[in-house]
Amino acid sequence: MAHFHPSRDQLVPEVLEALLRTAAVERLETSEGVDVLVRADHDPAAGVAVVSGGGSGHEPAHAGYLGEGMLAAAVPGSLFASPPVSAVLEAIRAVTGPAGALLVIKNYTGDRLNFGLAAERAREEGLDVRTVLIRDDVALPDIEQPRGLAGTVLVHKVAGHLAAQGAALDDVAAAAERTAAGIRTMALALTPATLPGAEQDASRGAELGLGIHNEPGARSVEVSGADDAMALVLETLDARSLAEEHGARGLVAVLNDLGGCSPQEGLVLAGELLGQLGAEPLARLIGPAPLMTSLDMHGFSVTLAPATEELLAAVDAPTAAPGWAPSPTPGEPRCRPAGGPAGEAAETAEQAPTTDDGRVEQAVRAGAAALTAATEELDALDLAAGDADAGTTFAAGARAVDELISSGELGFADPAAAVRRIARSLETAMGGSSGVLLAICSTAVARALEAGRSWPEALQAGIAAMQHHGGAAEGDRTMLDALLPAQRALVEGGGLPEAARAARQGAEATAALTARAGRAAYVPEAATAGAQDAGAVAVARFLDALASALR
């Protein structure tokens, strides 16, 4: 099962049923049983009604824009198909009062004809109805009928805002027309949408200039990353000419998720959008968010519009519509200097005294190099238990310590100060639980050394701190299964070679242990059977290198 949605016949009814249970909307009982959704709080006598709709599969469009400040009614069709004329007409009748109604229509043949005929019939009944056609797609510049895409949402917002302010129908329609005339949209997707009950079309790859009905793009493209994808989209949109054409000092951008992008991808794309627009100032960024989707299409669209006072006032105005995304004013990344409770500045780097012959520093660097060399081995061991990043994590800590020694910021003439410096480095460089646990251990070791305790005693204190905060014990298949045997070897009078040997044996023994702590405790026992614990192996590799360097 690749998706949670039901069959094609059931998808739209189930989506609308859930929406009716979770949003302030009501179902209008139509004569033909076709769903029409209206705002629960709409009063036809209060002012202009803004109505939109079209095929389903584009959620939150269109029902997600029902609310004060946007739509009064939404007419959803079946999947990627326009609703019938009768449903549109009954929606108009339900929400239109003396002030009239504006129909916002995306320029697809079915929508244009069905909404257009419904408007004509409503006029025959004496209702004052206007229409605005959205043609923001610039993928095919020579086509006579450009498609209506995510820029439609901006028209919803402008018209809905003015309607909520009590503007007359003439003014609402004129503002909607001005907004529609200034918007440009371009889409790019890595893969097409998957229709319910069908397999994704494997013959289609990355495409530029797609519509929202899963039709192929204007052309196939090669995309190497988010920067490349955004450059292709912005090149076609030509932001500079848009601003010049409308005499605007800036732009409003809409970054729309077509349905299959992760939140992380959306933010990466937003960063590229902000970075690549260049000299054209961006007054508002709406998104990244799913605003007009195409089922699970793995792609995005960018809409640009001139930042007129009229548009800015509308996008900044509050609305009760749940599908609308906030519109922040983009700016440079903000940061403040770190400091303690008294506002002290963060510590600055200082040179640290090294041992007379430098052997300890070189031995620690050898241990760090051994961990870096073991990255792939440790990642492979960690694959059975989770996300295969143990080697990468230990290597990050090792590199950080090596760089501190290389720069002169870490020396072992004062062992306690050195171990405390390592603790701070591991805490920030490694990340994850391993880095924090080793930082806890190192901090306790440093405190014990300052109190005059021996290295074996200090290591024992560090391990005890790890166990207290981490909750693991020997035999739980963790780093402790290498650290504790090594510490006991030191207490019993052995040197580093004996401690390294004990750590190595402890790590090997983890292959037969059942994980009872850490991420590995949450995976089936069979997944880790026969594989050594990556953390224990890392400890053994480090101590082996340290012992060899200090012989």
Side-chain angles (χ1 to χ4, degrees), residues 41-56:
D41 62 346
H42 178 69
D43 178 5
V48 173
V50 183
V51 179
S52 189
S56 295

Side-chain angles (χ1 to χ4, degrees), residues 7 32 36 63 105 124 149 210 272 326 328 350 362 433 438-439 499 532 542:
S7 68
E32 296 186 13
V36 171
I105 307 170
E124 287 182 348
L149 302 177
L210 301 94
E272 290 294 339
E350 295 181 1
Q362 291 306 311
S433 58
L438 289 174
Q532 296 180 45
F542 178 79

Side-chain angles (χ1 to χ4, degrees), residues 393-485:
T393 299
F394 277 99
R399 285 193 298 271
V401 170
D402 183 78
E403 289 169 6
L404 287 174
I405 296 174
S406 178
S407 66
E409 296 174 50
L410 177 62
F412 287 84
D414 182 345
V419 176
R420 180 168 278 108
R421 184 70 178 88
I422 289 173
R424 291 197 296 271
S425 178
L426 296 181
E427 177 185 347
T428 56
M430 283 185 69
S433 58
S434 297
V436 176
L437 285 169
L438 289 174
I440 288 171
C441 179
S442 300
T443 301
V445 167
R447 192 163 55 247
L449 290 173
E450 284 179 338
R453 298 170 72 178
S454 66
W455 273 102
E457 292 172 332
L459 183 56
Q460 185 178 30
I463 293 172
M466 282 181 71
Q467 290 181 284
H468 174 74
H469 292 287
E474 190 171 8
D476 285 350
R477 202 178 183 277
T478 69
M479 286 187 287
L480 292 173
D481 293 305
L483 279 171
L484 280 165

